[in-house]
């Protein structure tokens, strides 16, 4: 008998009328992900997704790893399916979990019976199987209150399934149920985490990166593409739009007062990102901004940079401490790449004394010598698009 993964659906179980749509989206996402690992059957029953390898050539370990990064799954376990009778269940546990059981000090059996035609109650089933296991493993105590290890038996429609403790899934909502948003992706620690957090809420993510060659290098661009690729482990495919930003930055340097450089630059980024977002069907922008972290992240600064945008700007990190952000970056595997020492275009023409409490009037005055529209149009005419997915070669 082969292994089957059981993926338990999280929040989506609660979503009333949308439940069906959410479930079918999750099933579709899992199916798409599993294609890379061979021929898997993916089906949904009783609020559980079953992922079943159909032949021996399947990469079961790779598939298992991938399942743990799919949003919408609250917990998952590898299980063994067997016939719905006591002997078959006992034998399956012995074969599949016997070694784990031997390593434990104490154990219990927990049963669930969603097939009500099964002739025993869950308690009777646990007692029977627990008794047999206790006899087979006399050095492992039975402890129903604080067991070291729990053996789970689930009697479902198609078969019985036995497994050990489930592990936590990626949580969140299935990618695609929450629309699309455009993340402003830099090479730093924050924006990949911001992208991940909004993707976790079921949002498909597209990215935009502003690139100032030759002030920033090809390596800096590759670093951003690599960060995007790492985020796709969770978010699924992502398009990254690389916008040439050199002309705009030079125009700002030549024609605007220095203390406003960063703010004016960020207003261009926001406006170009919004136009791209609207063109590509994205309903919001995402940034990695964090209140008070740098001069351009005060309330007043956000008011003047946000003023060029008329769609929502999601800033999921706004109230977090750096340490909390770093913890997530480490967990999702972007930290090591983020801390590689390549420059970002934000740091190219940094003012010595940036304005921290600007007003919109001041900004409009500081920008008066720029032909904003022409600069934006030219930048948008020269966008390089990269379509990335997790299975691509690493970029750096
Ligand atoms: P990060 O760690 O994400 O770079 P940060 O703390 O360095 O953030 P800033 O450099 O002020 O902060 O940038 C704030 C946000 O603006 C970033 O989180 C990102 O969303 C966006 N951003 C900054 N630089 C770029 C860029 N070159 N291209 C696209 N977006 C950018
Ligand atoms: Mg940055």
């Amino acid at each position: 008998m082969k292994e089957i993964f059981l993926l338990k659906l999280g929040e989506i179980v609660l979503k009333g009328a949308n439940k069906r749509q959410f479930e079918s989206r999750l099933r579709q996402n899992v199916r798409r992900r599993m294609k890379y690992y061979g021929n898997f059957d993916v089906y949904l029953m009783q609020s559980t997704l079953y992922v079943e390898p159909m032949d021996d050539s399947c990469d079961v370990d790779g598939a298992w790893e991938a399942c743990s990064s799919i949003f919408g799954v609250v917990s998952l376990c590898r299980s063994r399916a067997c016939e719905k009778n006591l002997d078959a269940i006992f034998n399956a546990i012995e074969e599949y979990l016997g070694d784990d059981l031997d390593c434990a000090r104490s154990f219990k059996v927990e049963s669930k019976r969603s097939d009500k035609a099964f002739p025993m109650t869950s308690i009777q089933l646990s007692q029977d199987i627990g008794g047999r296991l206790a006899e087979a493993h006399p050095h492992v105590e039975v402890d129903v209150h604080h067991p070291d290890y729990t053996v789970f038996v689930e009697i479902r429609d198609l078969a019985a399934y036995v497994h050990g403790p489930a592990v936590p899934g990626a949580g969140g909502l299935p990618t695609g149920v929450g629309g699309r948003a455009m993340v402003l992706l830099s090479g730093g620690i924050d924006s990949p985490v911001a992208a991940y957090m909004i993707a976790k809420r079921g949002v498909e993510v597209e990215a935009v990166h502003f690139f100032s060659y030759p002030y920033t290098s090809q390596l800096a661009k590759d670093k951003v593409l690599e960060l995007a690729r790492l985020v796709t482990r969770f978010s699924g495919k992502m398009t990254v739009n690389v916008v040439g930003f050199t002309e705009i930055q030079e125009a700002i340097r030549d024609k605007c007062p220095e203390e406003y450089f960063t703010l004016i630059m960020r207003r261009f980024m926001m406006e170009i990102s919004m136009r791209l977002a609207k063109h590509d069907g994205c309903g919001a922008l995402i940034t990695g901004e964090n209140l008070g972290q740098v001069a351009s992240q005060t309330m007043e600064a956000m008011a003047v940079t946000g003023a060029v945008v008329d769609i929502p700007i999601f800033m999921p990190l706004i109230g977090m401490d750096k340490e909390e952000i770093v913890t997530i970056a480490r967990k999702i595997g972007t930290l090591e790449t983020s801390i590689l020492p390549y420059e970002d275009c934000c740091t190219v023409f940094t003012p010595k004394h940036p304005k921290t409490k600007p007003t919109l009037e001041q900004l409009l005055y500081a920008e008066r010598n720029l032909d904003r529209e022409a600069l934006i149009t030219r930048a948008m005419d020269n966008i390089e698009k990269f379509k990335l997915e997790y299975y691509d070669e690493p970029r750096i």
Side-chain angles (χ1 to χ4, degrees), residues 163-316:
H163 59 85
V167 298
L173 300 173
T175 304
V177 300
R180 283 172 77 77
M182 178 75 73
V183 62
L184 284 78
L185 196 63
S186 69
I189 295 175
D190 301 338
S191 44
V193 173
Y196 160 83
M197 288 182 70
I198 298 301
K200 190 173 181 191
R201 300 310 301 165
V203 175
E204 264 173 341
V205 189
E206 184 171 333
V208 54
H209 175 64
F210 296 90
F211 178 60
S212 288
Y213 190 78
Y215 303 105
T216 56
S217 63
Q218 177 65 33
L219 276 172
K221 179 156 100 185
D222 285 338
K223 176 185 176 186
V224 170
L225 294 174
E226 175 61 5
L227 285 170
R229 188 190 73 82
L230 291 170
V231 173
T232 61
R233 177 174 148 216
F234 298 93
S235 67
K237 288 181 185 160
M238 193 190 299
T239 298
V240 182
N241 301 274
V242 177
V243 180
F245 209 46
T246 315
E247 188 194 357
I248 291 177
Q249 286 199 291
E250 289 178 343
I252 297 172
R253 178 196 60 194
D254 294 343
K255 296 183 176 165
C256 303
E258 186 188 313
E259 57 186 338
Y260 294 100
F261 279 1
T262 308
L263 291 167
I264 296 173
M265 186 192 73
R266 296 194 56 73
R267 279 162 56 83
F268 273 100
M269 284 187 180
M270 287 294 196
E271 183 153 2
I272 292 170
S273 303
M274 174 188 67
R275 292 193 194 185
L276 257 177
K278 287 183 176 173
H279 180 266
D280 290 359
C282 298
L285 300 182
I286 306 166
T287 73
E289 280 164 292
N290 180 243
L291 198 58
Q293 197 185 79
V294 290
S296 60
Q297 296 178 11
T298 63
M299 262 183 239
E300 294 81 357
M302 287 180 199
V304 300
T305 52
V308 291
V309 174
D310 61 11
I311 56 177
I313 305 173
F314 296 150
M315 303 176 177

Side-chain angles (χ1 to χ4, degrees), residues 128-144:
D128 187 291
I129 298 290
R132 293 181 189 216
L133 289 172
E135 242 172 68
H137 304 265
H139 59 288
V140 192
E141 261 176 64
V142 176
D143 180 347
V144 292

Side-chain angles (χ1 to χ4, degrees), residues 10-20 22 173 201:
E11 264 179 84
I12 66 174
V13 173
L14 309 170
K15 294 275 175 177
N18 292 331
K19 182 175 164 180
R20 236 167 235 197
F22 282 34
L173 300 173
R201 300 310 301 165

Side-chain angles (χ1 to χ4, degrees), residues 186 188 344 346:
S186 69
D344 180 51
C346 277

Side-chain angles (χ1 to χ4, degrees), residues 341-392:
Y342 308 126
E343 65 296 335
D344 180 51
C345 71
C346 277
T347 54
V348 175
F349 304 117
T350 321
K352 279 188 214 65
H353 303 289
K355 261 290 203 212
T356 54
K357 293 191 183 236
T359 65
L360 192 52
E361 290 69 31
Q362 289 168 347
L363 257 296
L364 294 173
Y365 189 71
E367 287 172 357
R368 72 192 180 286
N369 294 324
L370 296 175
D371 186 348
R372 280 183 64 87
E373 194 53 41
L375 286 166
I376 290 175
T377 307
R378 277 199 294 279
M380 294 194 65
D381 282 345
N382 283 305
I383 292 179
E384 242 186 310
K385 282 188 187 283
F386 297 85
K387 286 192 186 334
L388 303 179
E389 61 182 328
Y390 192 57
Y391 306 98
D392 295 340

